[in-house]
């Protein structure tokens, strides 16, 4: 698959490796990072995400938790935090939820808007291919020769 296009992460315009790993981890289950941090609202800010992570970490850290899968669960919670704490990662998650995409590959595909299509039509309108150039030269040649003939015919005295 190609590079991630939507909402590149805030770190220098590049998506960090941690964010990409987290996106792959939650591939298709875009709501899970919010659920792991017990966040009901997907539009929460960074401060709320940090506070939620700290609360969950106190309960779910492997040193404190009695669950058999405590290490794996805390790893996933940490990945969810990395993904949501990153502006670009959170934007990708929100886009995935909004577009209701099934997997990461579908998220990478550009949805294409009407504005994008109109821009493409406008750009393509001005492309110069070989046929267009030949047609323009032929038209100008015929125009100049035709105008010259008209001026000669009506400009001279033909007795």
């Amino acid at each position: 698959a190609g590079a991630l296009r939507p909402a590149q992460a805030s770190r220098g315009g590049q998506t960090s490796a941690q964010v990409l790993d987290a996106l792959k981890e939650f591939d298709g289950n875009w709501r899970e990072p919010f659920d792991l941090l017990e966040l009901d609202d997907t539009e929460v800010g960074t401060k709320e995400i940090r506070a939620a992570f700290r609360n969950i970490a106190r309960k779910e850290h492997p040193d404190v938790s009695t669950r058999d899968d405590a290490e794996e669960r805390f790893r996933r919670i940490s990945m969810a935090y990395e993904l949501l704490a990153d502006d670009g990662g959170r934007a990708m998650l929100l886009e995935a939820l909004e577009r209701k995409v099934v997997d990461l590959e579908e998220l990478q595909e550009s949805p294409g808007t009407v504005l994008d299509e109109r821009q493409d039509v406008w750009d393509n309108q001005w492309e110069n291919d070989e046929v267009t150039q030949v047609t323009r030269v032929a038209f100008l040649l015929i125009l100049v020769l035709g105008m010259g003939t008209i001026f000669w015919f009506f400009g001279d005295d033909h007795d």
Side-chain angles (χ1 to χ4, degrees):
L4 287 175
R5 174 215 45 85
Q8 293 293 312
S10 59
R11 297 179 185 129
Q14 300 274 326
T15 302
S16 71
Q18 290 173 325
V19 171
L20 289 175
D21 289 342
L23 279 170
K24 290 175 188 172
E25 180 78 23
F26 299 112
D27 190 9
N29 193 357
W30 309 117
R31 179 75 190 142
E32 187 177 1
F34 296 98
D35 294 340
L36 285 171
L37 296 180
E38 297 176 358
L39 295 169
D40 295 326
D41 184 15
T42 57
E43 298 291 332
V44 297
T46 307
K47 289 181 181 179
E48 292 88 358
I49 293 168
R50 187 177 303 121
F53 175 71
R54 287 181 179 161
N55 289 336
I56 296 292
R58 287 186 193 115
K59 296 183 288 184
E60 299 289 341
H61 193 276
D63 293 342
V64 178
S65 178
T66 58
R67 296 174 64 128
D68 292 337
D69 64 341
E71 287 186 23
E72 176 62 21
R73 180 164 170 75
F74 190 73
R75 183 187 70 78
R76 289 180 64 78
I77 290 170
S78 296
M79 289 188 101
Y81 172 70
E82 280 293 325
L83 186 58
L84 293 175
D86 184 85
D87 292 336
R90 187 169 61 250
M92 285 186 232
L93 272 181
L94 293 175
E95 181 180 343
L97 288 168
E98 181 180 318
R99 287 179 39 205
K100 297 179 174 80
V101 297
V102 178
D103 58 15
L104 188 57
E105 188 173 310
E106 187 178 344
L107 179 61
Q108 292 172 332
E109 295 172 2
S110 175
T113 64
V114 173
L115 184 60
D116 292 337
E117 292 170 9
R118 288 182 184 162
Q119 183 66 39
D120 290 342
V121 168
W122 178 260
D123 291 343
N124 291 338
Q125 177 180 355
W126 301 106
E127 284 184 9
N128 283 326
D129 59 354
E130 195 172 328
V131 173
T132 305
Q133 289 174 340
V134 168
T135 304
R136 286 180 182 161
V137 168
F139 175 76
L140 288 174
L141 190 61
I142 291 170
L143 182 67
V144 168
L145 291 175
M147 294 299 290
T149 303
I150 290 172
F151 286 133
W152 172 79
F153 184 76
F154 290 109
D156 282 340
D157 200 13
H158 300 294
D159 287 328

